[in-house]
C-alpha cells in the first residue's frame, strides 16, 4: 500500500503508518491527518506532533501517555478531541513515527 | 463450505468432547471468513508456524482500546482473513443476558464480521472474532445503537467482571453485580483510553470461593468476607449427620485453621470465629446449616498477574476488611483506586504491573504513598531481612528535637564532639 504527494510515493503498512519515518514532511502529516479524521492540523495539533517527533528522535521510542500529557499540557481528554483515534493510532501516525507496540 | 481437505483439523473433531473445529465448520457453511480461518489454521499446523502477524493498531472513533488488530501473513492465499480484527464487548455484570440482547449481538456480528464469537474471554468480555478494517466503525456504531459498549484492551483498565453474586448465590457478602456495574460506569475514561504503564484488571467475587478466580487473574481482587460469626442452624446440622455426612472427616478435619469442632454425641457443630479465616469450606459442605456472617464486606487484595516482567503472582491482602455499601457509592474503594493508579502511573515502567512495582519499590513505600497503615493480614510470609528501615520523619519524631540521631535522620549535619 502507498500514497503519492507531489510525485513522491510513500509506502504505508496495513495500519496506514508510513514505512520510512525519515521521509516524513508536513504535507505527509496533512495527508495522514485526513485518514485519522483530523480535517485540519491546527496549532494544537502541531504542538503534539512536534513533541512526539522530538521525543522520538531523542529517545528512539514514543513517550508513555502520561509523559505526553504532562509535557504538552494537554489532558488525555483533549488529546482525544484533537486526535479522535487516540494518541497511538492517531497522533503517532500523523507524526510519522513507527507503529507503537504498546506505549502511547 | 468448500471441499478443501483439513486432515489436521479433522483430528480435533474425534472423540466425545466438544470441538471448536466442529463449531467453526458450522459457521463456515455461511461465512467465508470462518472457512478461511479454518484453512489458515490447517496451514499453521502443517507449517508449525502461527500465521497471524504480531501487532496491529486499529480502533474506532474516540476509543483507544476495545478493538485488537489482527492480520494474516498469507493474504493472497487466504484473502477472507486478510484482516481479522477482534472486538471486545463489555459483558453485563455476572453475564446475565436476555435472549433478545444476545440476538441483537449476533445480528450485528453476522452483518459486519465472521459471525465467530467467544463467550467469554479471560477478562470477561464477549469476544467477536474476525472483522475487516472497513467494517470496524460501522460495526461499533451498530453495537452502540443496540446498547453495547466496547471493553478494555491495551494499557487501560480492563473490563471489570464479577461472580453471579446475590442474583443466584446465598454466600454473596455484598452486591457484586452492583459494584461491578458502578465501577464500570465510574471509570469509563480509564476503560476506553489507555493511559497507564500496562493493563489493570479488577475482578469481584462475593465470597472466598472466588468463582471468578480473582486472586490469580486480577491486579485488584475484591473478595467478600464478614467480621462477625458464622450462622449455625444446629437442627440442620443434625439433619446432615443423620443423612450420612461425615462431618468430622469432611468438614472439621479439613478446616485450614482447626477452627471448627463437631460433638458427635450431641450432634452439634461449633466454630471458633476468632480463628476462622472465612475460607468457606464448612459452609460449602453444609450450606443448609451454615451461613455467612451478618457484618459483611470484602477483603481487597492486590497484585495478581500472569508471568511477564516477573513471575506469576497471586494477589495479597491490602485492606483486610472494607464495607461495600451501595448507599456510600463505594467511595472508599474508589479513592483507594485513584491513589494507587496515581502512584503506579507516576512510577511504573513500561509493561510493569502494579504488583511488580510494589515488589520493586517495596511494600513500605507503597503503603506510605497510598496512605494505608501496615497490618498483620498483609504479611505473606515471615521476613528474611532482619533490618527495619524507618522513615526519617518517624525517627525524628521518636527521638525528639535536639537529638543528634533525630537531626541526622531529618537530614541535618551532625557536629562531632
Amino acid at each position: 500500500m502507498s500514497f503519492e504527494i507531489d510525485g513522491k510515493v510513500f509506502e504505508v503498512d496495513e495500519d496506514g503508518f508510513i514505512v520510512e519515518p525519515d521521509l516524513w514532511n508536513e504535507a505527509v502529516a496533512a495527508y495522514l491527518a485526513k485518514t485519522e479524521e483530523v480535517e485540519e492540523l491546527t496549532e494544537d495539533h502541531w504542538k503534539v506532533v512536534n513533541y512526539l517527533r522530538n521525543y522520538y528522535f531523542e529517545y528512539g521510542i514514543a513517550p508513555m501517555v502520561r509523559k505526553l500529557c504532562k509535557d504538552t499540557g494537554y489532558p488525555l481528554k483533549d488529546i482525544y478531541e484533537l486526535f479522535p483515534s487516540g494518541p497511538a493510532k492517531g497522533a503517532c501516525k500523523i507524526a510519522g513515527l513507527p507503529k507503537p507496540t504498546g506505549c502511547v | 463450505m468448500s471441499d478443501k481437505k483439513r486432515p489436521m483439523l479433522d483430528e480435533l473433531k474425534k472423540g466425545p468432547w466438544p470441538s471448536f473445529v466442529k463449531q467453526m465448520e458450522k459457521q463456515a457453511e455461511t461465512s467465508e471468513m470462518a472457512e478461511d480461518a479454518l484453512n489458515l489454521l490447517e496451514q499453521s499446523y502443517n507449517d508449525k508456524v502461527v500465521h497471524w502477524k504480531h501487532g496491529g493498531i486499529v480502533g474506532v472513533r474516540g476509543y483507544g482500546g476495545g478493538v485488537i488488530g489482527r492480520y494474516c501473513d498469507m493474504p493472497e492465499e487466504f484473502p477472507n482473513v486478510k484482516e481479522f480484527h477482534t472486538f471486545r464487548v463489555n459483558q453485563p455484570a455476572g453475564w446475565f443476558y436476555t435472549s433478545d440482547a444476545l440476538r441483537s449481538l449476533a445480528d450485528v456480528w453476522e452483518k459486519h464480521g465472521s459471525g465467530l464469537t467467544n463467550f467469554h474471554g479471560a477478562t470477561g468480555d464477549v469476544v467477536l472474532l474476525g472483522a475487516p478494517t472497513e467494517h470496524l466503525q460501522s460495526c461499533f456504531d451498530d453495537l452502540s445503537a443496540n446498547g453495547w459498549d466496547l471493553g478494555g484492551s491495551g494499557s487501560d483498565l480492563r473490563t471489570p467482571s464479577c461472580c453471579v453474586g446475590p442474583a443466584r448465590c446465598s454466600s454473596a457478602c455484598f452486591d457484586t453485580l452492583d459494584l461491578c456495574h458502578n465501577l464500570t460506569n465510574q471509570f469509563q475514561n480509564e476503560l476506553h483510553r489507555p493511559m497507564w504503564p500496562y493493563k489493570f484488571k479488577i475482578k469481584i467475587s462475593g465470597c472466598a470461593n472466588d468463582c471468578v478466580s480473582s486472586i490469580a487473574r486480577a491486579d485488584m481482587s475484591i473478595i467478600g468476607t464478614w467480621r462477625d460469626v458464622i450462622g449455625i442452624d444446629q437442627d440442620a446440622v443434625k439433619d446432615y449427620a443423620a443423612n450420612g455426612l461425615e462431618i468430622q472427616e469432611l468438614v472439621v478435619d479439613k478446616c485450614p485453621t482447626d477452627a471448627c469442632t463437631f460433638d458427635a454425641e450431641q450432634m452439634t457443630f461449633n466454630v471458633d470465629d476468632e480463628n476462622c479465616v472465612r475460607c468457606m469450606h464448612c459452609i460449602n459442605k453444609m450450606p443448609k446449616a451454615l451461613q455467612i456472617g451478618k457484618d459483611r464486606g470484602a477483603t481487597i487484595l492486590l497484585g495478581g498477574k500472569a508471568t511477564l516482567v516477573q513471575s506469576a503472582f497471586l494477589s495479597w491482602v491490602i485492606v483486610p476488611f472494607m464495607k461495600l455499601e451501595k448507599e456510600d457509592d463505594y467511595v472508599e474503594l474508589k479513592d483507594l483506586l485513584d491513589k494507587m493508579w496515581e502512584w503506579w502511573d507516576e512510577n511504573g515502567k513500561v509493561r510493569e504491573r502494579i504488583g511488580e512495582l510494589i515488589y520493586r519499590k517495596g511494600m513500605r513505600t507503597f503503603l506510605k504513598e497510598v496512605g494505608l497503615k501496615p497490618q498483620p493480614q498483609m504479611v505473606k510470609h515471615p521476613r528474611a531481612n532482619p533490618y527495619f528501615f524507618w522513615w526519617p520523619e518517624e525517627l525524628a519524631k521518636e527521638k525528639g528535637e535536639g537529638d543528634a540521631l533525630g537531626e541526622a535522620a531529618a537530614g541535618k549535619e551532625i557536629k562531632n564532639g
Side-chain angles (χ1 to χ4, degrees):
Chain A
M1 282 186 287
S2 63
F3 63 89
E4 201 181 313
I5 296 173
D6 296 336
K8 256 178 111 175
V9 177
F10 298 88
E11 296 285 325
V12 293
D13 70 8
E14 62 260 87
D15 288 323
F17 282 77
I18 57 169
V19 176
E20 290 178 73
D22 289 348
L23 298 180
W24 181 93
N25 60 38
E26 295 193 354
V28 169
Y31 174 88
L32 292 170
K34 288 202 169 59
T35 69
E36 292 300 322
E37 298 184 48
V38 179
E39 277 312 305
E40 203 191 332
L41 287 166
T42 64
E43 202 179 307
D44 291 328
H45 291 101
W46 281 114
K47 196 173 155 191
V48 174
V49 166
N50 288 329
Y51 168 78
L52 286 172
R53 289 191 66 76
N54 290 335
Y55 190 97
Y56 174 68
F57 284 120
E58 191 166 349
Y59 300 104
I61 54 162
M64 287 167 80
V65 173
R66 188 178 180 90
K67 185 108 184 83
L68 165 74
C69 293
K70 260 191 181 173
D71 289 352
T72 60
Y74 296 110
L76 191 54
K77 187 172 75 64
D78 294 11
I79 299 276
Y80 273 87
E81 272 168 24
L82 291 168
F83 304 94
S85 47
K89 183 173 178 284
C92 281
K93 183 187 286 183
I94 295 168
L97 268 58
K99 189 152 64 186
T101 53
C103 317
V104 169
Chain B
M1 202 168 84
S2 75
D3 302 331
K4 209 159 179 177
K5 296 269 183 289
R6 292 186 287 253
M8 299 289 245
L9 293 188
D10 288 342
E11 290 296 317
L12 295 173
K13 294 193 286 184
K14 294 175 182 170
W17 37 77
S19 159
F20 72 92
V21 177
K22 286 182 199 164
Q23 297 193 348
M24 285 176 72
E25 284 185 344
K26 206 173 156 197
Q27 186 62 24
E29 289 168 14
T30 54
S31 162
E32 289 179 329
M33 290 185 86
E35 170 74 19
D36 258 5
L38 284 164
N39 294 336
L40 184 69
L41 186 58
E42 179 78 13
Q43 182 83 32
S44 282
Y45 284 144
N46 282 316
D47 298 348
K48 298 189 171 140
V49 171
V50 173
H51 284 294
W52 299 114
K53 289 206 229 173
H54 178 76
I57 291 193
V58 294
V60 297
R61 202 179 304 125
Y63 285 64
V67 195
I68 297 117
R70 186 77 72 228
Y71 297 97
C72 154
D73 69 359
M74 300 175 76
E76 278 83 32
E77 294 86 338
F78 304 96
N80 297 309
V81 292
K82 186 174 73 169
E83 298 154 353
F84 201 77
H85 309 308
T86 299
F87 274 102
R88 292 207 181 124
V89 178
N90 196 149
Q91 81 285 6
W95 301 283
F96 288 99
Y97 301 89
T98 63
S99 63
D100 281 347
L102 288 173
R103 278 172 216 284
S104 80
L105 202 55
D107 288 347
V108 170
W109 189 229
E110 295 214 319
K111 181 174 158 196
H112 294 286
S114 72
L116 294 170
T117 62
N118 170 9
F119 278 77
H120 299 84
T123 306
D125 307 271
V126 176
V127 180
L128 307 178
L129 295 158
T133 308
E134 65 169 333
H135 273 269
L136 292 179
Q137 187 65 44
S138 51
C139 182
F140 168 73
D141 292 343
D142 281 354
L143 287 170
S144 190
N146 281 280
W148 301 98
D149 197 3
L150 300 186
S153 72
S155 299
D156 64 8
L157 173 63
R158 299 303 180 82
T159 318
S161 76
C162 66
C163 70
V164 296
R168 289 187 63 82
C169 179
S170 60
S171 295
C173 294
F174 60 95
D175 191 338
T176 55
L177 305 158
D178 185 73
L179 177 62
C180 186
H181 187 235
N182 188 310
L183 293 180
T184 304
N185 285 337
Q186 175 81 34
F187 297 118
Q188 282 288 296
N189 194 34
E190 288 79 359
L191 180 52
H192 297 309
R193 294 172 176 175
M195 58 179 79
W196 291 327
Y198 203 21
K199 63 181 109 171
F200 191 96
K201 299 181 176 182
I202 300 175
K203 289 196 194 299
I204 303 164
S205 281
C207 77
N209 284 324
D210 197 8
C211 287
V212 289
S213 304
S214 70
I215 199 161
R217 306 194 303 162
D219 296 271
M220 179 183 268
S221 320
I222 302 172
I223 300 178
T225 190
W226 60 91
R227 280 191 294 203
D228 54 348
V229 299
I230 287 184
I232 305 173
D233 176 349
Q234 296 294 357
D235 289 339
V237 172
K238 288 183 177 65
D239 287 345
Y240 275 110
N243 287 321
L245 178 71
E246 300 282 354
I247 295 179
Q248 181 65 39
E249 200 176 296
L250 294 178
V251 184
V252 176
D253 293 350
K254 306 275 189 202
C255 175
T257 53
D258 290 331
C260 45
T261 48
F262 180 60
D263 182 333
E265 274 180 28
Q266 301 292 317
M267 297 249 241
T268 54
F269 182 85
N270 284 297
V271 178
D272 170 11
D273 291 282
E274 284 282 302
N275 287 307
C276 163
V277 290
R278 282 69 170 156
C279 80
M280 294 298 293
H281 176 73
C282 60
I283 299 178
N284 292 340
K285 285 292 169 194
M286 302 193 289
K288 289 175 184 166
L290 304 179
Q291 267 190 346
I292 56 171
K294 291 193 163 57
D295 185 9
R296 299 165 188 173
T299 300
I300 314 293
L301 305 94
L302 206 62
K305 58 175 275 301
T307 302
L308 192 69
V309 177
Q310 291 192 34
S311 66
F313 292 170
L314 293 179
S315 294
W316 65 92
V317 174
I318 294 297
V319 181
F321 187 87
M322 186 186 280
K323 277 285 192 190
L324 291 172
E325 306 285 356
K326 282 183 210 185
E327 295 70 29
D328 302 337
D329 197 33
Y330 313 109
V331 65
E332 188 183 353
L333 179 63
K334 289 174 184 173
D335 281 352
L336 179 61
L337 276 167
D338 281 333
K339 279 186 203 145
M340 289 185 340
W341 287 337
E342 179 64 26
W343 177 71
W344 171 49
D345 203 13
E346 183 65 34
N347 294 282
K349 295 178 184 172
V350 176
R351 306 240 160 137
E352 187 175 46
R353 302 277 282 268
I354 193 164
E356 291 163 334
L357 178 62
I358 295 174
Y359 258 67
R360 179 158 68 81
K361 292 270 190 183
M363 266 293 270
R364 71 196 270 272
T365 306
F366 167 75
L367 293 176
K368 191 180 184 214
E369 294 289 334
V370 302
L372 289 171
K373 287 214 180 325
Q375 298 195 53
Q377 290 94 332
M378 294 170 182
V379 176
K380 280 177 87 177
H381 51 76
R383 67 202 179 106
N385 180 349
Y387 294 100
F388 184 84
F389 294 92
W390 296 91
W391 293 107
E393 63 271 23
E394 286 173 335
L395 254 188
K397 208 166 85 188
E398 193 77 15
K399 294 287 181 182
E401 284 292 319
D403 177 275
L405 268 178
E407 286 178 5
K412 288 181 191 163
E413 195 185 338
I414 301 181
K415 291 189 185 77
N416 282 324

